[in-house]
Amino acid sequence: MTRRPHTPSRRTLLRAMAVLPASALALGEVPGLLGTALAAAPPSGSATRYTIVPFLNSNDGTVNVYQSDDATDFRLLKSSAYTPPSNRIRDASIFKHTNGYYYITYTTHTWQDTSTTIGFARSTDRVNWTFLYDYTVPIANLSRAWAPEWFVDSDGSVNVIVSCSTTNDEWIFTPYLLKATNSSLTAWSSPVALSGIGANHIDTFIVKIGSTYHAFTKNETTKYIEYATASSLTGPYTISRTGNWAGWGSYREGPALVQLDNGAWRLFFDGYGDGTYYYSDSYDTFANWSAPAALPAVSGTARHFTVIKETVSGGPTLPKNVTRSFQSANYATRYWQVQSSLLNLPVVSGSSTTAEKQASTFTVVPGLADANGYSFRDASGRYLRHWDFRARFDTNDGTSTFAKDATFVARTGTASGSIRFESYNYPGYYLRHYSYELRVERSNGTDLFRQDSSFVPVGAWG
C-alpha cells in the first residue's frame, strides 16, 4: 500500500488527537450535562442548533441571543433579548429544563460591587425572556456570588455551580454547589463547597462522562484555566493540569464545554486579556487540544457565556443513493466538476461535452464515517475528500482517516434549497470555492464565506 506523504503539522496534530471514535463518548444535548445520546450528525431534515446568551463587552446590563448550526459561526438571533428589571446581567448560563422552558442564571452586579445574589429568568423560545427572581446565596459574610453555571447530573438533578467570596477576602473565590429541591427551580439546597478545587478558583464548569466528573476552572492567581476530575460531583477533585497545559495562554476565563456532532469536545473561553473569544477542540477526553482560534463574528463583542446544543427540525434534506450535480449558490452557471482528480467549479451548460457533464455528476451516499452525514462518489467510484485542505477524489483505502476526510455534514445554505457541507473531522471548515477551486476552509463568519460555501443540489448533468 502506498504510504501517505508528509502533511502539515496542524493536520498531523489534529489527527494525532483523534484517538477516540465518536461513539466512545455518551452525552446529551446540553452543555455540561450527561445524557444517553451518542454524538452524530443530524439526520436528514433535522439540524443541530447551538445557542449562547452573552452579555456584551460594551454593556453588562443586557444580553444578546446568538445561534449557530456548527458551534463556530454564531449569528445574532435577537439583540438586547433580556434586560433584568434591576441590577446587571453578566456570565449568563443557559439550559433547557424538562418542562420545555429555557432557563438562564447569571451574575447580578458588576465586578466592582458587592453581589450576594444570582438571577434567574426563563423563556419558551430563547428570544423572549421573563424575569423570575434574584436568589440570595446563603453563605455567611458573603461578598460576591459570581458566574453561576448550570449542571444537570445523570440522575436528572438540576444544580448550579457558583463562585463565592466572603468579606474577609472579597477576591478569593471558592466554587459551591446549589441543588434544586423542586422542579420549578425556586428552592435550593444549602451551598456545598466543591472539595479539592479549593479557594482562589472561579468560573468552574463541569461535565460528566461515564462515572467521572471533569471540571474546568480558572485559577485567579495564575489566570490559567485548570483541569480537575472527581468521582463525585462535590469532590474531592484532583487538579491534574495547571499552568499553560493546553496551550490556551493566561488571562483566560469563563470555560464552557459542548460536544460537537463528530464527538469532539469544544471548549469556549473568554480571552479577556486580549479582547478575543476563543475555542479549542479535544478528541481524546481532554488530554490534547487544538490551538485556540478566535470565534468569528462574536469575538470582541460577546463576553462569558455557556452553550446549549439541540437537534431541531427544519434542517437540509438531501436524498442518498441518488445522482446529483451541485450548482454554486452565488455563481449559478458554475458546478462541481472533477478535473484531474481535483474538484473545481467551471461553467457547465447544455453545450458542454458528455465527458464534462459526466464529470459534473456525483452519487450521494451515506457518510463513510457517519451515516447521517454525506459522502460523494464520482463516476469512477472514487470519493470526494480533503487533502491538505484541497477537495479531490481518491479511491477509498478503507482507513478511518479516509472515511473522516470523505464525510461531510449538511448545514443550511444561504440561498433557498442550498446546502453547506462542513468537514466531518475539521469542524467549522467548509467546502467553499475560491478562484473556482473547491477547498475546505475555516469559516470566518462573513456573508461572502457563507455564499461561497453554499451549493444547490440539482438534477444530474450526466
Side-chain angles (χ1 to χ4, degrees), residues 33 40 150 185 206 212 264 284 304 317 341 397 404 446:
L33 314 184
W150 294 108
L185 309 183
I206 296 175
T212 301
D284 56 5
H304 194 160
T317 300
S341 297
D397 63 10
K404 294 172 184 176
T446 64

Side-chain angles (χ1 to χ4, degrees), residues 336 343 376 382-386 391-393 405-406 408 431:
W336 291 8
L343 185 61
F376 305 92
R382 299 175 303 173
Y383 286 86
L384 172 64
R385 56 90 63 91
H386 61 81
R392 57 175 293 121
F393 282 81
D405 283 356
F408 298 86
L431 278 174

